Amino acid sequence: MKKLSRRARAATGGAVIAVVAAGTFGTVSANASAPASPAAAPVANAKSGSTNTSTHLTVDAATEAAQAALDAAERENQKITVAVVDRNGNTVVTLRGDGAGPQSYESAQRKAYTAVSWNAPTSELAKRLEQAPNLKDIPGTLFLGGGVAVAAKGAPVAGIGVAGAPSGDLDEKFAAAGAATLGR
């Protein structure tokens, strides 16, 4: 391959720089003169009667309920985790007590989710598995005692799940203690 002279290399480099610069400035000037984006579509208003309003537990109330459940367990020297989920099953707050097992975190959330999904204590739901064993296959659920639903105006608004005590009955007792604080 033939070597280019210094003059040829300088001319070639200058040409490359000129092309790049022209492309850059051409793009900038093209963008600078582009018309403004079209106006956003107006917001549509739903007609009356086509929506409903749901009630949700506040973060403060969820935290108070979780702390009450944790306190009830600590009075009985139990090491638990408590989770509170909203109506849609989203975790609002989770408190892991000192010494609670690593499995208790997810179990508490799943019990809370299960309770709010069916608006019933998970101990009752576990009994339904005899008639409908496929219920246990629903993702995110856990059919063991320890979850209670919280309702307002007859509709579920939250679930409280507890895990880590030696039995589901104790877990559910502590979850119920947390729910009781919400009724005061």
Side-chain angles (χ1 to χ4, degrees):
M1 180 170 199
K2 186 177 174 186
K3 248 186 170 180
L4 295 176
S5 68
R6 181 177 276 193
R7 179 183 278 173
R9 286 187 299 209
T12 303
V16 168
I17 290 172
V19 169
V20 170
T24 301
F25 291 118
T27 301
V28 170
S29 61
N31 286 338
S33 64
S37 62
V43 174
N45 289 316
K47 66 182 179 180
S48 180
S50 62
T51 64
N52 63 18
T53 303
S54 62
T55 303
H56 295 270
L57 203 60
T58 66
V59 171
D60 289 342
T63 303
E64 180 182 344
Q67 188 63 55
L70 191 63
D71 291 346
E74 286 175 353
R75 283 192 293 276
E76 295 189 28
N77 296 316
Q78 298 299 319
K79 297 168 179 14
I80 63 147
T81 296
V82 58
V84 180
V85 301
D86 67 12
R87 172 62 187 111
N88 301 319
N90 300 309
T91 302
V92 178
V93 64
T94 302
L95 297 178
R96 184 178 174 273
D98 294 335
Q103 80 290 353
S104 65
Y105 190 88
E106 182 179 351
S107 297
Q109 288 177 323
R110 291 176 60 191
K111 288 178 183 183
Y113 176 82
T114 304
V116 75
S117 294
W118 279 274
N119 196 26
T122 54
S123 60
E124 285 182 23
L125 296 170
K127 294 173 190 171
R128 293 183 193 177
L129 289 178
E130 295 171 13
Q131 287 79 36
N134 291 346
L135 281 177
K136 69 180 179 337
D137 297 333
I138 297 173
T141 59
L142 186 59
F143 292 89
L144 297 174
V148 298
V150 177
K153 299 177 186 171
V157 295
I160 301 175
V162 171
S167 73
D169 291 340
L170 278 175
D171 285 341
E172 200 158 301
K173 174 183 172 182
F174 303 139
T181 65
L182 300 172
R184 292 189 223 169

